[in-house]
Each structure stands twice: as structure tokens, then as C-alpha cells.
Amino acid sequence: MEKLNLGEFLHRNSHKSNKELADSIREVKKLSNRHDNVVVHQEKKSLISTAKKLSQCIKSFNEEAELTITINKKQWQQD
């Protein structure tokens, strides 16, 4: 099974259309870019570094801690 980054994992497991997803991201991040695919792509890239940084911070508290996200019984874990 291929290892997905967090952005790709969330995108593949979303039930929203690209337009709905882009609109949600625009609302949360106060973006004005009108190109749905660009908004989604940029957010997926942003999530990669965010997940890495969050995982490093979590491990600062406890080296054995893991960042795991479960959606629809599918699980993603930061390496």
C-alpha cells in the first residue's frame, strides 16, 4: 500500500467536490484565489510541512508519541 502525505490522505478521503473543498479552505484561511485546483493543491502542500512540524513538537514532549489521524476507518500516521 502506498504511503500518502497528510494532504493527499485528507483529499482522497474527503466526500467534498474540489469546489466545496476549495470554498471551505478559502473561508478558513481567508483566501481570495479563485482557482479551486490551486487552492486545494496549495493547502495539500501546506499540510505536509504542518504535519511534520506538529509531529516534531509532539515528540519534544514524549519521544514515543505519534501523530495519527483516522477518517472513515482509514488511518494516516506521520513517520
Side-chain angles (χ1 to χ4, degrees):
M1 188 164 109
E2 80 178 292
K3 172 69 173 157
L4 302 175
N5 63 57
L6 179 57
E8 194 61 38
F9 173 79
L10 293 173
H11 193 209
R12 288 188 185 185
N13 288 288
S14 173
H15 296 295
K16 293 183 175 183
S17 69
N18 256 17
K19 175 156 180 38
E20 292 170 323
L21 188 54
D23 287 344
S24 293
I25 293 168
R26 281 187 198 97
E27 185 176 324
V28 169
K29 292 207 157 185
K30 309 294 186 235
L31 300 175
S32 60
N33 190 320
R34 294 166 47 176
H35 301 282
D36 296 341
N37 289 340
V38 172
V39 170
V40 172
H41 177 74
Q42 288 177 336
E43 186 59 23
K44 286 166 46 176
K45 285 179 62 176
S46 173
L47 284 168
I48 294 169
S49 67
T50 301
K52 185 177 180 180
K53 289 175 188 173
L54 180 58
S55 182
Q56 289 170 339
C57 289
I58 290 169
K59 288 187 183 291
S60 295
F61 289 95
N62 184 329
E63 192 62 37
E64 296 178 15
E66 297 176 341
L67 177 59
T68 304
I69 296 176
T70 303
I71 299 175
N72 301 327
K73 298 184 181 180
K74 295 178 183 175
Q75 196 170 66
W76 176 88
Q77 186 171 11
Q78 177 70 29
D79 292 332

